[in-house]
């Protein structure tokens, strides 16, 4: 019996490797996104807490220096928040791009796997047909051999 070999096996292997690499890159981009988003959340929370604290201080009479200090600190926090928001958007875009690439690679690999399945089915059918012909020929030879005796 002939051993089955898929003619596009090397291509399938390469596509699977590309798929795995893309999955790794996607997971890394998700991790980067989560990290930047967490930093943004923490900065927003810090700003919120600072505003709450400033309002408490104003209600019990704060000095002008304190108000000025809080104001400048909030301004610097807002700049940091704006920067982080830009980084979050970039990380989200990168993550979405890798997700799309991962989907494309999955589809490609599935196509090659489907082609391999169909090719294997054709191979099996051809093997069975060949085996049936062989058995038919063998049985007719056996029959002829019995008749000549």
């Amino acid at each position: 019996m002939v051993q089955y070999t898929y003619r596009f096996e090397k291509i399938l292997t390469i596509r699977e490797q590309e798929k795995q690499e893309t999955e790794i890159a996607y997971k890394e981009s998700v991790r980067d996104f989560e990290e930047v988003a967490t930093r943004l959340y923490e900065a927003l929370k810090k700003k919120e807490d600072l505003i709450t604290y400033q309002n408490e201080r104003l209600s019990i009479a704060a000095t002008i220096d304190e108000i000025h200090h809080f104001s400048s600190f909030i301004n610097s926090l807002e700049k940091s928040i704006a920067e982080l928001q830009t980084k979050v958007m970039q990380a989200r875009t990168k993550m979405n791009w890798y997700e799309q690439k991962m989907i494309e690679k999955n589809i490609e690999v599935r196509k090659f796997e489907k082609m391999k399945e169909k090719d294997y089915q054709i191979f099996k059918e051809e093997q069975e047909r060949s085996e049936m012909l062989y058995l038919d020929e063998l049985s007719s030879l056996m029959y002829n051999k019995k008749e000549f005796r």
Side-chain angles (χ1 to χ4, degrees):
M1 184 171 211
V2 180
Q3 176 114 11
Y4 173 73
T5 54
Y6 181 50
R7 59 184 168 203
F8 298 123
E9 189 67 40
K10 289 181 181 179
I11 295 173
L12 177 60
T13 303
I14 291 169
R15 295 292 188 245
E16 286 173 340
Q17 288 173 347
E18 289 173 351
K19 175 185 157 191
Q20 290 172 349
E21 290 169 3
T22 306
E23 286 174 351
I24 290 168
Y26 171 71
K27 288 176 183 176
E28 187 176 315
S29 69
V30 168
R31 186 182 47 77
D32 291 344
F33 171 76
E34 289 173 347
E35 181 182 311
V36 174
T38 302
R39 287 186 6 225
L40 175 62
Y41 171 78
E42 289 170 354
L44 288 168
K45 182 73 174 145
K46 190 174 191 178
K47 178 184 171 188
E48 182 183 314
D49 292 345
L50 184 63
I51 289 172
T52 304
Y53 179 73
Q54 182 182 13
N55 288 337
E56 288 173 5
R57 293 291 299 155
L58 286 174
S59 68
I60 58 170
T63 65
I64 293 177
D65 285 338
E66 282 182 272
I67 295 171
H68 180 60
H69 175 72
F70 285 132
S71 176
S72 63
F73 190 66
I74 288 174
N75 285 339
S76 70
L77 255 178
E78 286 175 346
K79 287 179 187 176
S80 296
I81 288 170
E83 218 175 276
L84 285 170
Q85 285 174 332
T86 304
K87 287 181 181 180
V88 165
M89 288 179 3
Q90 290 171 346
R92 180 179 289 125
T93 302
K94 182 180 175 184
M95 181 181 67
N96 289 339
W97 186 82
Y98 275 115
E99 181 180 29
Q100 190 62 37
K101 287 295 174 193
M102 188 176 67
I103 290 169
E104 290 171 11
K105 295 295 180 185
N106 279 334
I107 290 170
E108 258 184 71
V109 168
R110 271 191 264 142
K111 283 179 184 177
F112 276 100
E113 287 173 344
K114 206 61 149 160
M115 286 173 34
K116 183 177 181 178
E117 287 174 16
K118 288 180 181 177
D119 192 52
Y120 183 69
Q121 274 306 117
I122 292 170
F123 172 79
K124 274 179 46 178
E125 290 170 5
E126 189 63 36
Q127 288 295 316
E128 288 172 6
R129 185 172 34 251
S130 173
E131 188 177 326
M132 291 302 287
L133 286 173
Y134 176 74
L135 289 175
D136 285 348
E137 189 177 322
L138 188 61
S139 67
S140 71
L141 283 173
M142 295 296 281
Y143 180 76
N144 286 335
K145 191 174 182 181
K146 282 184 183 180
E147 271 191 21
F148 289 124
R149 282 190 183 181

